[in-house]
Amino acid sequence: MPVTDPATAEPLCEVADAGPEEGAAALTAAAVAQRDWARTSARQRSDILMRAHRLLLAEVERLSLVMTLEMGKPLAEARGEVAYAAEFLRWFAEEAVRLDGGYLPAPTGGSRFLVARQPVGPSLLITPWNFPMAMGARKIGPALAAGCTCVVKPAEQTPLSMLALADVLRRAGVPAGVVNVVTASDPGAVVAPMIADGRARKLSFTGSTAVGKLLLEQCARTVLRTSMELGGNAPFLVFDDADLEAAVAGAMLAKMRNIGQACTAANRFMVQRGIAAEFAARLTERMAALPMGRGTEPGVVVGPLIDAAAVAKVTALVADARARGAVALTGGEPLAGPGNFYPATVLTGVPADARICHTEIFGPVAALSIFDTEDEAINRANDTPYGLVSYLYTENLRRGLRVSEALDSGMVGLNEGVVSDPAAPFGGVKESGLGREGGLVGIDEFLETKYIRVAL
Ligand code: NAD
């Protein structure tokens, strides 16, 4: 199947297009390798992951160029993603040797309980195109550290970054059969049989909520353990008492990282009335000045969106908001081709019923509205089926903590525009997902707890 450069809409190369047979072969390889891999020492697994960490950093220029070509993000961001991916491998290399267990007396006496943690088994890992390497490393790192083999299915738009990561892992010493990458143009046809097969023991998925729900239904049939990192609709609240310059800088990060194509992207900006006009003016000045172009060109911040459908979606959302009274302070119309370019856009006066407030924009559009009271801000922020991340800016510590606790999301950025960190538990509530990746709990997703009762 072809891999396309979103900046030119030209094909870059072709990769293998797997069908159900290749999927089954990959699962067989993972199932066969599982026992030996689980028996390796934690230190061996840790050393391999640490070598892969170093290789990724040593090869950052080549890997980031591959990522920019197939995905479009500016080179500086691609370098950042390679480093972020490498950091997941280092973090889980460190976690591999720190698994704990338990030894407890039975309350009734006479027996002892040993509590051990074992790898869950062969794992299916499905990743999206927006962070084509980091989302893989965030799953492969803990899976390998825990002693699980895996079949990885990258997004059809961005197979190259995952193939490159698999090549690095192989050179770092991952044995044959432990990491198997399946690239496919028809993901459903390959994945559904692997879920139904019964040999996979875990599905870890990052992608849209719609596909996540479909996979949860499929997993119910074989009671497959799942982790789900799904879509978001992040509110970004700016209170009157915020440090305005910090809030604008945070807004730029929360909105423009990955050209707005992040599950953590600020989707709904809500600004308290007293500073709303000033915030909009400063944000507009910064957004309007962002250089747009191919991600490989020096200085570019706004690269292309992933495909023509993404441009059409953003265009329709902005048109709907404007039809309902929103005003574009900058941007607001797609660029003519070639390539899938949409400019950095600021909309003010976006009414709550506009589709853009209820849909993951996945593009460089900041939708602004005004609030008056703290309660109103919290209620509107929580008025969504999603709950991945929320952002708020205030210099009042009490308000900051009060609102952080009241926000219905798995993560909160309090005076911070980026929350992602391999050392922190990443994940959402409500329809944004199940489970956490990274942090001290990330490896738990790939471990089963076994209790052994021992007669004394
Ligand atoms: P997507 O759901 O379309 O695709 C994600 C993956 O699922 C791809 O590998 C795709 O091939 C595969 N897939 C699609 N249909 C499938 C099917 N029927 N059966 C099995 N696999 C299938 O999402 P996307 O457009 O690639 O990614 C964007 C979405 O991912 C956004 O909603 C974004 O919020 C979300 N995301 C979430 C996180 C998170 O950590 N919560 C991180 C990044 C992206």
Side-chain angles (χ1 to χ4, degrees), residues 152-197:
V152 191
K153 216 250 6 108
E156 48 275 31
Q157 297 92 335
T158 55
L160 302 179
S161 296
M162 189 64 74
L163 291 169
L165 174 61
D167 175 59
V168 165
L169 289 164
R170 181 183 58 76
R171 285 187 279 131
V174 173
V178 173
V179 175
N180 308 277
V181 181
V182 175
T183 54
S185 62
D186 184 354
V190 180
V191 171
M194 286 198 280
I195 291 175
D197 179 290

Side-chain angles (χ1 to χ4, degrees), residues 114-118 448-452:
L114 299 182
V115 181
R117 306 221 286 159
Q118 299 187 315
E448 284 289 6
T449 299
K450 179 178 280 178
Y451 137 65
I452 304 168

Side-chain angles (χ1 to χ4, degrees), residues 10-82:
E10 298 283 331
L12 290 165
C13 64
E14 293 191 335
V15 298
D17 189 0
E21 278 177 27
E22 287 81 11
L27 186 53
T28 298
V32 167
Q34 176 58 50
R35 182 185 283 226
D36 283 347
W37 181 245
R39 284 182 179 167
T40 55
S41 71
R43 180 58 70 194
Q44 266 176 296
R45 299 197 297 275
S46 175
D47 286 347
I48 290 173
L49 287 170
M50 203 58 99
R51 275 199 295 277
H53 159 79
R54 283 194 292 267
L55 278 173
L56 279 186
L57 293 183
E59 299 179 22
V60 62
E61 285 307 313
R62 180 179 69 84
L63 297 169
S64 47
L65 180 60
V66 169
M67 191 185 295
T68 291
L69 287 175
E70 70 172 345
M71 189 270 160
K73 70 178 71 187
L75 264 180
E77 286 201 55
R79 288 189 193 103
E81 184 178 339
V82 174

Side-chain angles (χ1 to χ4, degrees), residues 4-10 303-308 311 334-342:
T4 305
D5 181 344
T8 61
E10 298 283 331
L305 299 186
I306 188 69
D307 51 28
V311 176
L335 266 65
N340 312 310
F341 288 94
Y342 198 98

Side-chain angles (χ1 to χ4, degrees), residues 125-131 135 138-139 153-157 184-192 195 205-212 214-215 218 228-232 261-264 306 313 360 362 386 388 411 426-428 432-433 437:
L125 313 179
I126 303 179
T127 57
W129 51 263
N130 61 343
F131 292 98
M135 296 301 96
R138 195 162 82 173
K139 298 184 191 304
K153 216 250 6 108
E156 48 275 31
Q157 297 92 335
S185 62
D186 184 354
V190 180
V191 171
I195 291 175
F205 172 78
T206 298
S208 61
T209 296
V211 173
L214 182 81
L215 294 176
Q218 295 177 13
M228 293 276 152
E229 296 285 352
L230 308 176
Q261 302 169 114
C263 53
T264 50
I306 188 69
K313 175 184 167 189
E360 219 179 1
F362 250 55
Y386 295 100
L388 189 60
M411 303 177 286
F426 186 105
S432 286
E437 292 191 317

